[in-house]
Short mmCIF file of all heavy atoms in Angstrom, two decimals:
data_model
loop_
_atom_site.label_atom_id
_atom_site.label_comp_id
_atom_site.label_asym_id
_atom_site.label_seq_id
_atom_site.Cartn_x
_atom_site.Cartn_y
_atom_site.Cartn_z
N ASP A 851 -1.72 22.66 22.77
CA ASP A 851 -2.23 23.43 21.63
C ASP A 851 -3.61 22.96 21.22
O ASP A 851 -4.39 23.73 20.63
CB ASP A 851 -1.29 23.30 20.43
CG ASP A 851 -0.04 24.16 20.54
OD1 ASP A 851 0.03 24.95 21.52
OD2 ASP A 851 0.85 24.03 19.69
N ASN A 852 -3.92 21.71 21.49
CA ASN A 852 -5.19 21.12 21.05
C ASN A 852 -6.17 20.89 22.20
O ASN A 852 -7.19 20.22 22.02
CB ASN A 852 -4.91 19.80 20.34
CG ASN A 852 -4.04 20.00 19.12
OD1 ASN A 852 -4.35 20.82 18.27
ND2 ASN A 852 -2.93 19.28 19.05
N ALA A 853 -5.86 21.42 23.37
CA ALA A 853 -6.73 21.27 24.53
C ALA A 853 -7.72 22.41 24.62
O ALA A 853 -7.49 23.51 24.11
CB ALA A 853 -5.89 21.20 25.81
N HIS A 854 -8.85 22.13 25.26
CA HIS A 854 -9.85 23.15 25.60
C HIS A 854 -10.43 23.84 24.38
O HIS A 854 -10.83 25.02 24.45
CB HIS A 854 -9.26 24.21 26.56
CG HIS A 854 -8.34 23.66 27.59
ND1 HIS A 854 -8.74 22.70 28.50
CD2 HIS A 854 -7.01 23.92 27.85
CE1 HIS A 854 -7.71 22.40 29.29
NE2 HIS A 854 -6.65 23.11 28.91
N LYS A 855 -10.47 23.15 23.25
CA LYS A 855 -11.06 23.72 22.05
C LYS A 855 -11.70 22.59 21.26
O LYS A 855 -11.23 21.44 21.31
CB LYS A 855 -10.01 24.44 21.20
CG LYS A 855 -8.91 23.56 20.67
CD LYS A 855 -7.88 24.33 19.83
CE LYS A 855 -7.04 25.25 20.67
NZ LYS A 855 -5.86 25.78 19.90
N PRO A 856 -12.78 22.88 20.52
CA PRO A 856 -13.47 21.83 19.77
C PRO A 856 -12.72 21.45 18.50
O PRO A 856 -11.81 22.16 18.05
CB PRO A 856 -14.82 22.47 19.43
CG PRO A 856 -14.52 23.94 19.36
CD PRO A 856 -13.46 24.19 20.40
N GLN A 857 -13.11 20.29 17.95
CA GLN A 857 -12.63 19.83 16.65
C GLN A 857 -11.12 19.58 16.63
O GLN A 857 -10.46 19.78 15.62
CB GLN A 857 -13.04 20.80 15.54
CG GLN A 857 -14.54 20.92 15.32
CD GLN A 857 -15.18 19.64 14.80
OE1 GLN A 857 -14.56 18.86 14.10
NE2 GLN A 857 -16.45 19.42 15.14
N THR A 858 -10.59 19.14 17.75
CA THR A 858 -9.22 18.63 17.78
C THR A 858 -9.24 17.26 18.43
O THR A 858 -10.21 16.87 19.10
CB THR A 858 -8.27 19.55 18.57
OG1 THR A 858 -8.53 19.40 19.98
CG2 THR A 858 -8.40 21.00 18.16
N ASN A 859 -8.14 16.51 18.27
CA ASN A 859 -8.10 15.13 18.75
C ASN A 859 -7.60 15.00 20.19
O ASN A 859 -7.47 13.88 20.68
CB ASN A 859 -7.22 14.29 17.83
CG ASN A 859 -7.85 14.07 16.47
OD1 ASN A 859 -9.04 14.30 16.29
ND2 ASN A 859 -7.06 13.62 15.52
N ASN A 860 -7.34 16.11 20.85
CA ASN A 860 -6.99 16.04 22.26
C ASN A 860 -8.28 15.96 23.08
O ASN A 860 -8.70 16.92 23.72
CB ASN A 860 -6.16 17.27 22.67
CG ASN A 860 -5.63 17.19 24.09
OD1 ASN A 860 -6.04 16.35 24.88
ND2 ASN A 860 -4.73 18.10 24.43
N ILE A 861 -8.90 14.79 23.05
CA ILE A 861 -10.22 14.63 23.65
C ILE A 861 -10.15 14.44 25.16
O ILE A 861 -11.19 14.41 25.83
CB ILE A 861 -10.99 13.47 23.00
CG1 ILE A 861 -10.25 12.15 23.18
CG2 ILE A 861 -11.24 13.77 21.52
CD1 ILE A 861 -11.03 10.94 22.70
N THR A 862 -8.93 14.32 25.72
CA THR A 862 -8.78 14.28 27.17
C THR A 862 -8.48 15.67 27.73
O THR A 862 -8.38 15.84 28.94
CB THR A 862 -7.64 13.33 27.57
OG1 THR A 862 -6.42 13.78 26.97
CG2 THR A 862 -7.94 11.90 27.10
N ASN A 863 -8.33 16.66 26.85
CA ASN A 863 -7.97 18.01 27.26
C ASN A 863 -6.72 18.01 28.15
O ASN A 863 -6.66 18.69 29.17
CB ASN A 863 -9.14 18.71 27.95
CG ASN A 863 -10.17 19.20 26.95
OD1 ASN A 863 -9.84 19.87 25.97
ND2 ASN A 863 -11.43 18.83 27.16
N THR A 864 -5.73 17.27 27.72
CA THR A 864 -4.45 17.23 28.43
C THR A 864 -3.69 18.52 28.18
O THR A 864 -3.53 18.95 27.04
CB THR A 864 -3.63 16.02 27.96
OG1 THR A 864 -4.34 14.82 28.30
CG2 THR A 864 -2.27 16.00 28.62
N ASP A 865 -3.23 19.13 29.26
CA ASP A 865 -2.57 20.44 29.19
C ASP A 865 -1.47 20.46 30.24
O ASP A 865 -1.66 20.95 31.35
CB ASP A 865 -3.62 21.53 29.44
CG ASP A 865 -3.05 22.94 29.29
OD1 ASP A 865 -1.83 23.07 29.11
OD2 ASP A 865 -3.83 23.90 29.37
N ILE A 866 -0.31 19.89 29.90
CA ILE A 866 0.80 19.75 30.83
C ILE A 866 2.07 20.28 30.18
O ILE A 866 2.51 19.75 29.15
CB ILE A 866 1.00 18.28 31.24
CG1 ILE A 866 -0.31 17.69 31.77
CG2 ILE A 866 2.12 18.14 32.27
CD1 ILE A 866 -0.26 16.19 31.96
N ALA A 867 2.65 21.29 30.75
CA ALA A 867 3.81 21.94 30.14
C ALA A 867 4.97 20.97 29.94
O ALA A 867 5.62 20.97 28.89
CB ALA A 867 4.25 23.13 31.00
N ALA A 868 5.24 20.14 30.93
CA ALA A 868 6.36 19.20 30.81
C ALA A 868 6.12 18.19 29.70
O ALA A 868 7.05 17.82 28.97
CB ALA A 868 6.58 18.49 32.14
N LEU A 869 4.88 17.76 29.55
CA LEU A 869 4.54 16.82 28.48
C LEU A 869 4.64 17.51 27.12
O LEU A 869 5.12 16.91 26.14
CB LEU A 869 3.14 16.25 28.69
CG LEU A 869 2.68 15.17 27.70
CD1 LEU A 869 3.64 13.99 27.68
CD2 LEU A 869 1.27 14.70 28.05
N ASP A 870 4.21 18.77 27.05
CA ASP A 870 4.36 19.53 25.81
C ASP A 870 5.82 19.55 25.36
O ASP A 870 6.14 19.37 24.18
CB ASP A 870 3.89 20.98 26.01
CG ASP A 870 2.38 21.11 26.07
OD1 ASP A 870 1.68 20.12 25.78
OD2 ASP A 870 1.91 22.22 26.38
N THR A 871 6.72 19.79 26.31
CA THR A 871 8.14 19.86 25.99
C THR A 871 8.63 18.52 25.44
O THR A 871 9.36 18.48 24.44
CB THR A 871 8.94 20.24 27.24
OG1 THR A 871 8.51 21.53 27.69
CG2 THR A 871 10.43 20.28 26.92
N LEU A 872 8.24 17.43 26.07
CA LEU A 872 8.63 16.11 25.59
C LEU A 872 8.11 15.86 24.18
O LEU A 872 8.82 15.33 23.31
CB LEU A 872 8.10 15.03 26.54
CG LEU A 872 8.90 14.74 27.80
CD1 LEU A 872 8.16 13.71 28.66
CD2 LEU A 872 10.29 14.23 27.45
N ILE A 873 6.85 16.22 23.95
CA ILE A 873 6.24 15.99 22.64
C ILE A 873 6.97 16.77 21.55
O ILE A 873 7.26 16.23 20.47
CB ILE A 873 4.74 16.36 22.68
CG1 ILE A 873 3.97 15.35 23.54
CG2 ILE A 873 4.15 16.42 21.27
CD1 ILE A 873 2.53 15.73 23.81
N MET A 874 7.27 18.03 21.81
CA MET A 874 7.94 18.83 20.80
C MET A 874 9.38 18.37 20.59
O MET A 874 9.89 18.38 19.46
CB MET A 874 7.91 20.31 21.19
CG MET A 874 6.50 20.90 21.28
SD MET A 874 5.46 20.53 19.84
CE MET A 874 6.35 21.42 18.57
N THR A 875 10.03 17.94 21.65
CA THR A 875 11.39 17.40 21.50
C THR A 875 11.37 16.12 20.68
O THR A 875 12.24 15.89 19.83
CB THR A 875 12.00 17.13 22.89
OG1 THR A 875 11.93 18.33 23.67
CG2 THR A 875 13.46 16.72 22.76
N TYR A 876 10.36 15.29 20.91
CA TYR A 876 10.19 14.06 20.13
C TYR A 876 9.95 14.39 18.66
O TYR A 876 10.56 13.78 17.76
CB TYR A 876 9.01 13.26 20.70
CG TYR A 876 8.53 12.10 19.85
CD1 TYR A 876 9.22 10.89 19.84
CD2 TYR A 876 7.38 12.21 19.07
CE1 TYR A 876 8.77 9.81 19.07
CE2 TYR A 876 6.92 11.15 18.30
CZ TYR A 876 7.62 9.96 18.30
OH TYR A 876 7.18 8.90 17.54
N ARG A 877 9.11 15.37 18.39
CA ARG A 877 8.83 15.74 17.01
C ARG A 877 10.08 16.25 16.30
O ARG A 877 10.27 16.02 15.10
CB ARG A 877 7.74 16.83 16.94
CG ARG A 877 6.36 16.34 17.22
CD ARG A 877 5.27 16.97 16.37
NE ARG A 877 5.31 18.40 16.19
CZ ARG A 877 4.28 19.09 15.69
NH1 ARG A 877 3.15 18.48 15.37
NH2 ARG A 877 4.36 20.38 15.51
N ASP A 878 10.94 16.92 17.04
CA ASP A 878 12.10 17.54 16.43
C ASP A 878 13.35 16.66 16.45
O ASP A 878 14.37 17.01 15.85
CB ASP A 878 12.42 18.86 17.13
CG ASP A 878 11.32 19.90 16.94
OD1 ASP A 878 10.52 19.74 15.99
OD2 ASP A 878 11.25 20.85 17.74
N ALA A 879 13.30 15.54 17.16
CA ALA A 879 14.48 14.69 17.30
C ALA A 879 14.90 14.11 15.96
O ALA A 879 14.06 13.74 15.14
CB ALA A 879 14.21 13.57 18.30
N VAL A 880 16.20 14.03 15.76
CA VAL A 880 16.76 13.58 14.48
C VAL A 880 17.10 12.10 14.51
O VAL A 880 16.69 11.34 13.63
CB VAL A 880 18.01 14.40 14.13
CG1 VAL A 880 18.66 13.87 12.85
CG2 VAL A 880 17.66 15.88 13.98
N ASP A 881 17.84 11.66 15.51
CA ASP A 881 18.30 10.27 15.50
C ASP A 881 17.29 9.35 16.15
O ASP A 881 16.57 9.73 17.08
CB ASP A 881 19.66 10.15 16.21
CG ASP A 881 19.55 10.50 17.69
OD1 ASP A 881 19.38 11.70 17.99
OD2 ASP A 881 19.60 9.58 18.53
N GLU A 882 17.23 8.13 15.67
CA GLU A 882 16.21 7.18 16.11
C GLU A 882 16.33 6.79 17.57
O GLU A 882 15.30 6.71 18.26
CB GLU A 882 16.21 5.94 15.22
CG GLU A 882 15.03 5.03 15.48
CD GLU A 882 14.82 4.02 14.38
OE1 GLU A 882 15.82 3.50 13.87
OE2 GLU A 882 13.65 3.76 14.05
N PRO A 883 17.53 6.54 18.12
CA PRO A 883 17.60 6.21 19.55
C PRO A 883 16.97 7.28 20.44
O PRO A 883 16.29 6.96 21.42
CB PRO A 883 19.10 6.07 19.80
CG PRO A 883 19.66 5.66 18.47
CD PRO A 883 18.85 6.41 17.47
N THR A 884 17.19 8.55 20.10
CA THR A 884 16.59 9.62 20.89
C THR A 884 15.08 9.61 20.77
O THR A 884 14.34 9.77 21.76
CB THR A 884 17.14 10.99 20.44
OG1 THR A 884 18.54 11.01 20.62
CG2 THR A 884 16.49 12.13 21.22
N ARG A 885 14.58 9.39 19.56
CA ARG A 885 13.13 9.35 19.33
C ARG A 885 12.50 8.18 20.10
O ARG A 885 11.41 8.32 20.67
CB ARG A 885 12.82 9.24 17.84
CG ARG A 885 13.14 10.51 17.07
CD ARG A 885 12.96 10.32 15.57
NE ARG A 885 11.62 9.87 15.24
CZ ARG A 885 10.54 10.63 15.25
NH1 ARG A 885 10.64 11.91 15.58
NH2 ARG A 885 9.37 10.13 14.92
N ILE A 886 13.16 7.06 20.10
CA ILE A 886 12.64 5.89 20.83
C ILE A 886 12.59 6.18 22.33
O ILE A 886 11.59 5.91 23.00
CB ILE A 886 13.52 4.66 20.54
CG1 ILE A 886 13.29 4.20 19.09
CG2 ILE A 886 13.23 3.53 21.52
CD1 ILE A 886 14.25 3.13 18.62
N ARG A 887 13.67 6.76 22.86
CA ARG A 887 13.69 7.08 24.30
C ARG A 887 12.57 8.06 24.66
O ARG A 887 11.87 7.89 25.66
CB ARG A 887 15.06 7.67 24.66
CG ARG A 887 15.14 8.17 26.11
CD ARG A 887 16.50 8.76 26.43
NE ARG A 887 16.86 9.87 25.56
CZ ARG A 887 16.41 11.12 25.71
NH1 ARG A 887 15.54 11.41 26.69
NH2 ARG A 887 16.80 12.08 24.90
N LEU A 888 12.41 9.10 23.84
CA LEU A 888 11.37 10.10 24.11
C LEU A 888 9.97 9.51 24.00
O LEU A 888 9.08 9.84 24.80
CB LEU A 888 11.54 11.28 23.15
CG LEU A 888 12.76 12.16 23.39
CD1 LEU A 888 12.98 13.09 22.21
CD2 LEU A 888 12.60 12.96 24.69
N ALA A 889 9.77 8.65 23.01
CA ALA A 889 8.45 8.01 22.86
C ALA A 889 8.09 7.24 24.12
O ALA A 889 6.94 7.30 24.61
CB ALA A 889 8.45 7.10 21.64
N LYS A 890 9.06 6.52 24.66
CA LYS A 890 8.79 5.75 25.88
C LYS A 890 8.53 6.66 27.07
O LYS A 890 7.67 6.37 27.92
CB LYS A 890 9.96 4.82 26.15
CG LYS A 890 10.09 3.68 25.14
CD LYS A 890 11.26 2.77 25.46
CE LYS A 890 11.33 1.60 24.48
NZ LYS A 890 12.45 0.68 24.78
#
Side-chain angles (χ1 to χ4, degrees):
D851 282 354
N852 299 308
H854 321 302
K855 63 180 70 168
Q857 296 294 330
T858 74
N859 290 346
N860 186 348
I861 61 173
T862 60
N863 282 310
T864 297
D865 184 354
I866 306 170
L869 184 57
D870 285 351
T871 300
L872 278 176
I873 290 171
M874 297 311 295
T875 306
Y876 169 78
R877 286 218 315 194
D878 295 341
V880 176
D881 64 288
E882 189 164 39
T884 300
R885 290 174 56 75
I886 289 171
R887 174 180 59 79
L888 290 167
K890 291 181 177 181

